[in-house]
Amino acid sequence: MPLYLGWTAVVFARESGELWLYDIEWSTGWSPASPFLRRMALRRASLACDELEATLPQRPDEAVTCDVCSGTGRIKEPLICGCGGYGWVIPGEDRGMGIG
Ligand SMILES: [Zn+2]
């Protein structure tokens, strides 16, 4: 099931609960979604499906408040912030190039 459709890739949830990325820009195919992309895709999908709210990760102790959105997760409706919509980021975490 597609959870997030980006400009360059789509994040899918498999029946097993794993989240995978399908690259449509570089035709590199399937790869496991990074921890950041998993969080971002779940957050984005939860905006349309309330049942997913229970699956969202809690803020880890090492996280810091996102200085772009000041902790709101939003930058301008309906866009979510580059922090994935959580309002916090994990210092040093690889957020990749993004998928749009
Ligand atoms: Zn943010």
Side-chain angles (χ1 to χ4, degrees), residues 27-75:
S27 299
T28 55
W30 294 96
S31 61
S34 70
F36 172 75
L37 284 179
R38 286 197 300 267
R39 286 197 314 270
M40 186 271 303
L42 284 171
R43 178 68 181 130
R44 185 67 181 179
S46 75
L47 298 176
C49 181
D50 292 339
E51 291 82 3
L52 289 174
E53 282 281 337
T55 68
L56 298 180
Q58 298 297 310
R59 180 178 171 148
D61 290 341
E62 70 270 24
V64 297
T65 299
C66 175
D67 58 4
V68 174
C69 66
S70 302
T72 65
R74 298 290 184 131
I75 49 176

Side-chain angles (χ1 to χ4, degrees), residues 70-90:
S70 302
T72 65
R74 298 290 184 131
I75 49 176
K76 183 176 182 180
E77 295 294 334
L79 302 176
I80 59 173
C81 182
C83 62
Y86 288 86
W88 48 262
V89 295
I90 298 173

